[in-house]
Amino acid sequence: MRYSRDMIGYGEHTPDAKWPGNARIAVQIVINYEEGGENSIEHGDAASEAFLSEIIGAQPWPGKRHWNMESIYDYGARAGFWRLHRLLKDVPVTVYGVATALERAPEQVAAMQDAGWEIATHGYKWIDYKDIPREIEAEHIAKAIELHTQVTGERPRGFYQGRTSMNTVGLGCEEGGFEYLADTIADDLPYWHVHKGKPQLMVPYTMDANDMRFSSGQGFGTGVEFFDYLRDSFDILYAEGVAGAPKMMSIGLHCRLAGRPGRAMAIKQFLEHARGHEGVWFATRLDIARHWAKTHPYRAKLRPSQMGREEFIEQFGGVYEHSPWIAERVWDAEMGAIHDTPAGLAARMAQIFRAASDEERLGVLLAHPDLAGKLAAARRLTESSTAEQASAGLDSLTDEERAEFDRLNSAYMEKHRFPFIIAVRDHDKPGIMAAMRQRIDNDTATERGEAERQVSRIATLRLQQLLDDN
């Protein structure tokens, strides 16, 4: 089974974003313009809207219009947008514009463009696509681009559907004209997503630093709470940037929510707080996408989870000495992006090894050669074992050293009935010999456990070399 989700991302050490001017944080503000694109009988939909409004717990009214719901959305277009525009007209902003909403907002669109804001597409209609057939959603994306281009004068370069299906990201990739997709909340930095062998830049969005939480039963109750959350998010990310790991901070706003007076104050206070720090880059999502594509271009890498069975076993079948069955079982099990890293694949192979029978595990130990033994002298070691023994100088022993290794190997084998195994890349020659002398005295059960740990360590080091070289 191939697991589709990427649960590793950048891992412990994120890349240096290298924001312009060596900024310590990129702040990205989104205004969602949805008013006029929501569900409404007058828009040809089957029911009224019920999402993201002042009416917590609202339900759709099938076949009926909902006066209060519509007037809440009307407020966003009539008043909320202009309040946010006054606050943010001098700030780089990305608008997620629903195409049918933009069509009904010529003055607002003109104001967005006068402010130099980026207008990305927020889809054709602001509806839930989870049950929409793939071909219909694809048709809607095409319509959104067409209408967006007619209304704004240029096609959108970014895409955020918002109320997605499992097809949305794939369809966005296949459309082929987007510099970034934003339907992800998986990271604090942009990242490359590969769809059908082709890379697509993702610029993550947010659902926490987002005024949508004013419309939920467990969210922000006041503007003070919203500001506190934005400030704390900024401060943590800014500190990480100062420490050498800059991130981006996304903020999501809606005209009918944050555009209300009691909430707009939080935006004003946040801007003052952020502007009080040096090294803050306010940017549109397109700015960030273009910077990332230039500074961190996509680079293809070896992806074990995407290999065919034969290729995988050929590449990794020798990681455990003469034991390709471990690679075979790894491939047959669940694999995903987490197993495309040296540590992730090593952990999976070690898991398979530990799950094997006692006889199978002993077979792996017996497959290992003696250190500096007869196979090495006859040049019959595997390529990996040859390189490992050479790394510790075991290929250039004096006659006295070779005699001592032979003596210790024989004594160890006689007592424990399997070869002495150690990850030689972790040691030098004197250290290896000292470990042999010490471990001979262990009881066999203890030594069996240590030998199995060393086998897994050897595999980890081999995988680091195989994957880091690719």
Side-chain angles (χ1 to χ4, degrees), residues 95-99 119-124 144-145 148 156 158-161 178:
V95 176
Y96 288 162
V98 175
I119 309 177
T121 186
H122 197 358
Y124 182 59
I145 295 168
H148 185 108
F159 173 41
Y160 177 73
Q161 188 83 284
F178 293 117

Side-chain angles (χ1 to χ4, degrees), residues 203-361:
V203 180
Y205 188 44
T206 176
M207 288 188 182
D208 66 309
N210 192 311
D211 66 3
M212 66 182 288
R213 293 180 60 199
F214 282 112
S215 67
S216 65
Q218 187 178 8
F220 302 128
T222 68
V224 172
E225 292 176 354
F226 189 30
F227 167 67
D228 285 348
Y229 193 87
L230 295 180
R231 179 200 60 216
D232 290 349
S233 299
F234 176 91
D235 288 350
I236 283 287
L237 293 172
Y238 187 84
E240 290 179 7
V242 170
K247 306 293 194 309
M248 64 175 287
M249 177 182 178
S250 292
I251 300 171
L253 307 176
H254 298 75
C255 301
R256 63 193 175 279
L257 297 175
R260 292 282 177 176
R263 297 166 184 154
M265 181 60 75
I267 309 304
K268 181 176 183 294
Q269 291 173 325
F270 173 78
L271 290 174
E272 292 170 353
H273 179 75
R275 284 168 170 162
H277 292 70
E278 294 181 357
V280 179
W281 181 41
F282 287 93
T284 68
R285 300 182 85 73
L286 189 57
D287 291 334
I288 290 171
R290 288 176 173 171
H291 169 82
W292 199 266
K294 181 180 179 181
T295 309
H296 300 279
Y298 174 73
R299 290 186 175 87
K301 64 177 183 178
L302 189 66
R303 301 178 69 198
S305 68
Q306 301 302 308
M307 287 179 165
R309 193 174 194 272
E310 184 176 337
E311 181 188 8
F312 181 86
I313 294 167
E314 181 180 355
Q315 184 80 19
F316 301 107
V319 168
Y320 279 71
E321 195 81 5
H322 296 294
S323 303
W325 58 267
I326 294 178
E328 291 168 1
R329 293 181 193 179
V330 167
W331 193 92
D332 292 340
E334 178 183 287
M335 287 188 70
I338 188 66
H339 304 115
D340 292 338
T341 67
L345 187 53
R348 173 62 92 201
M349 298 190 90
Q351 178 186 351
I352 294 295
F353 172 63
R354 295 184 194 114
S357 69
D358 183 80
E359 182 180 2
E360 288 173 321
R361 298 197 313 278

Side-chain angles (χ1 to χ4, degrees), residues 334-413:
E334 178 183 287
M335 287 188 70
I338 188 66
H339 304 115
D340 292 338
T341 67
L345 187 53
R348 173 62 92 201
M349 298 190 90
Q351 178 186 351
I352 294 295
F353 172 63
R354 295 184 194 114
S357 69
D358 183 80
E359 182 180 2
E360 288 173 321
R361 298 197 313 278
L362 180 58
V364 174
L365 302 188
L366 292 172
H368 275 260
D370 289 339
L371 287 181
K374 294 178 180 179
L375 289 178
R379 300 185 182 278
R380 291 174 56 198
L381 296 178
T382 64
E383 184 178 343
S384 294
S385 289
T386 298
E388 287 159 0
Q389 295 203 22
S391 72
L394 302 186
D395 62 339
S396 56
L397 299 175
T398 65
D399 290 343
E400 182 180 354
E401 288 170 335
R402 186 172 301 282
E404 180 65 0
F405 267 109
D406 288 343
R407 184 189 72 78
L408 291 169
N409 279 329
S410 297
Y412 185 95
M413 188 70 178

Side-chain angles (χ1 to χ4, degrees), residues 74-201:
D74 292 349
Y75 181 92
R78 293 161 56 111
F81 169 81
W82 297 108
R83 181 167 289 113
L84 293 179
H85 180 264
R86 288 191 293 273
L87 279 172
L88 297 167
K89 62 184 177 181
D90 297 324
V91 177
V93 165
T94 291
V95 176
Y96 288 162
V98 175
T100 50
L102 296 176
E103 184 182 30
R104 296 183 174 107
E107 293 190 16
Q108 292 92 332
V109 169
M112 298 171 194
Q113 293 176 323
D114 288 345
W117 292 351
E118 176 205 359
I119 309 177
T121 186
H122 197 358
Y124 182 59
K125 294 168 64 71
W126 199 63
I127 60 176
D128 195 337
Y129 281 89
K130 68 181 178 66
D131 296 320
I132 301 294
R134 193 179 198 278
E135 61 274 15
I136 299 300
E137 186 174 4
E139 180 183 328
H140 279 203
I141 293 171
K143 285 184 175 180
I145 295 168
E146 180 181 19
L147 183 56
H148 185 108
T149 304
Q150 293 170 359
V151 170
T152 69
E154 57 183 341
R155 72 151 286 156
R157 296 297 174 184
F159 173 41
Y160 177 73
Q161 188 83 284
R163 298 163 80 173
T164 61
S165 73
M166 288 303 292
N167 298 315
T168 301
V169 169
L171 290 170
C173 294
E174 291 165 23
E175 195 281 329
F178 293 117
E179 296 187 43
Y180 71 89
L181 305 182
D183 277 302
T184 174
I185 50 174
D187 215 296
D188 297 311
L189 288 172
Y191 62 91
W192 292 99
H193 169 74
V194 178
H195 176 75
K196 294 184 177 179
K198 295 183 178 180
Q200 172 66 61
L201 186 61

